[in-house]
Amino acid sequence: MSRRYRIGDRVRVRDATSMFHTRTQAYTRGRIGVVVEYRPEWIIPEDEAWGRDDGRVEPFYVVRFRQKDLWPKYTGFDVDTLETEVSERWLEPAEEDAQ
């Protein structure tokens, strides 16, 4: 399976809701981060939650966010970051002028 994103790409986490388990934290939805690492392809969490060992498989990425981008009232340092795994179905390219 090929990957849609490369390390260093700016991506936005889709701002969507789901009735099922997704592992995509609500506080990352709609936010822009940078792909910093690849994870193995895996069964998507929506299928895995139902015990479907034959579920849909897709790539996962580690995305790094500036904490001030996640929480505007964050009082820590500007360089503080958070990294989390996100499945490809939850990512979209970030617009070049957005931050």
Side-chain angles (χ1 to χ4, degrees):
M1 180 178 286
S2 64
R3 291 184 177 271
R4 182 173 181 189
Y5 302 104
R6 294 180 168 185
I7 292 174
D9 283 354
R10 293 179 68 239
V11 292
R12 180 184 307 273
V13 177
R14 288 183 34 233
D15 191 8
T17 57
S18 175
M19 293 174 46
F20 303 103
H21 173 70
T22 65
R23 281 188 9 201
T24 304
Q25 300 92 344
Y27 59 83
T28 65
R29 296 178 190 180
R31 305 296 188 192
I32 294 175
V34 176
V35 173
V36 294
E37 190 176 335
Y38 297 135
R39 289 287 190 234
E41 297 172 355
W42 197 253
I43 298 169
I44 65 169
E46 294 90 338
D47 289 353
E48 186 179 31
W50 293 98
R52 292 193 54 200
D53 294 333
D54 63 340
R56 297 166 286 175
V57 174
E58 71 178 2
F60 279 74
Y61 302 85
V62 175
V63 179
R64 179 180 295 149
F65 300 90
R66 289 182 344 135
Q67 290 199 34
K68 288 192 175 204
D69 292 341
L70 296 175
W71 300 285
K73 295 182 181 180
Y74 181 74
T75 59
F77 297 103
D78 287 341
V79 296
D80 290 349
T81 60
L82 176 138
E83 293 180 0
T84 188
E85 290 183 356
V86 183
S87 65
E88 191 168 86
R89 70 180 35 249
W90 277 91
L91 296 175
E92 57 192 19
E95 301 86 30
E96 289 303 314
D97 60 342
Q99 289 231 359

